[in-house]
Amino acid sequence: MEKHVFIVGSKGIPANYGGYETFLEYLTQGQQDTAIKYHVACKVTNKTAAKQKHFMHNHADCFNVYVPNIGPAQAIYYDVAALNQAIRYARRHRIEKPIFYILACRIGPFMRDITRRVHAIGGVVYVNPDGHEWMRAKWSKPVRQYWKYSEGLMVKHADLLICDSKNIEKYIQTTYMQYQPKTTFIAYGADAQRSTLADDDAKITDWFHKFNIYANEYYLIVGRFVPENNYETMIREFMASKSQKDLVIITNVEQNQFYEALKAKTHFEQDQRIKFVGTVYDQDLLSKIRELAYGYLHGHSVGGTNPSLLEALASTKLNLLFDVGFNREVGEDSALYWSKQPGALAKLIEQADALSADEIEQFAQASTQRIADAYSWSFIVGEYEKEFRLGTN
């Protein structure tokens, strides 16, 4: 019997760099069990595009969901509309035991009704609770309160929560003990492929030349430029260190108030080692920049398994991670760890600078192996397919 899985909550596929979108790209592209039929909701804001209701991508049935421009409520509207469409489709086609997998916890207030309707057609509702979305500094206080409230209702009414981090799973189990939630852990995956570019390819040498950067002579940061990623600590501590290397920061800071505030606080523009180089959308070039870095600094403090951390462990020789449960769970003993205590990271950077080539190679092999063992996409896809098969038996 074909097993139908409806996935709601991503912007859709083909993927365009988002975490959930990338996950769905790999899940459908790397499908191992042909008896599973994926249906993926895709957000469209253009009414003309919405007229094309269905299209195929990676053998998945992608269905367009039109979302009007209604401001911040768009995401909630989209998830509910997509689920309504998916439930109607499953009912119309008399699909037996469908699975509805909701990515993120945006629609808590509607969850009881959705689960009731899904159960009425013999289906089940799975939820990926993502990271601690309600803790993110980018949201205003009322929005954060809504996220937390919504999360509780999603947990209460879901048949299963698939957590991409053991720390998130533990948080769900302890915070919402009264609901006795059923949870499982399946990590986010990493693409551990090496860059196809040679070390002397014009693409990388031109990029280095443009910013006056040298291979193996820089620490790297890649990620969204937001306070909870600890940019202030990383920049301050790097400035306080005696390192002769550069700190290369790949991020988008255009019209960013946080960037201006940080500049006023730290005066990083006066330190020639600190280099904001904008964004890099060429994935092959980005992989090469990671591979040729001396070390990688990772400051994420909220969220589950972070894609940029997985990519760093897979490709950068030496990784210096903010010491929080999520990061330690992923890096284990293949990385070095720092706290926000003044001077801690500056000291660690100087220690990292003093490591021998053999010591760095040991870290490089350990981190690459860690990703291959626990986070390869083929392994993650297999884990999801096992779960989806269970859910329809």
Side-chain angles (χ1 to χ4, degrees), residues 325-362:
F326 304 116
N327 297 337
R328 205 172 259 278
E329 170 194 325
V330 178
E332 290 189 343
D333 57 3
S334 74
L336 298 167
Y337 295 89
W338 50 273
S339 73
K340 287 174 85 164
Q341 193 178 339
L345 177 54
K347 188 179 173 188
L348 188 64
I349 289 165
E350 288 167 9
Q351 287 170 347
D353 280 353
L355 290 172
S356 68
D358 281 353
E359 287 170 318
I360 291 170
E361 186 53 34
Q362 281 173 355

Side-chain angles (χ1 to χ4, degrees), residues 290-337:
R290 288 181 186 279
E291 288 166 25
L292 295 180
Y294 182 81
Y296 186 84
L297 296 185
H298 186 76
H300 288 55
S301 62
V302 303
T305 306
N306 181 265
S308 67
L309 172 56
L310 297 177
E311 285 161 22
L313 290 167
S315 52
T316 308
K317 295 183 282 288
L318 191 60
N319 292 275
L320 283 61
L321 317 181
F322 177 53
D323 195 357
V324 64
F326 304 116
N327 297 337
R328 205 172 259 278
E329 170 194 325
V330 178
E332 290 189 343
D333 57 3
S334 74
L336 298 167
Y337 295 89

Side-chain angles (χ1 to χ4, degrees), residues 263-309:
K263 192 193 269 189
K265 269 192 212 169
T266 63
H267 303 291
F268 60 73
E269 75 284 2
Q270 291 171 20
D271 189 326
Q272 292 183 329
R273 298 172 299 169
I274 312 291
K275 293 179 176 176
F276 281 88
V277 295
T279 47
V280 176
Y281 289 118
D282 180 329
Q283 291 304 294
D284 214 20
L285 175 59
L286 185 56
S287 293
K288 198 69 196 172
I289 294 165
R290 288 181 186 279
E291 288 166 25
L292 295 180
Y294 182 81
Y296 186 84
L297 296 185
H298 186 76
H300 288 55
S301 62
V302 303
T305 306
N306 181 265
S308 67
L309 172 56

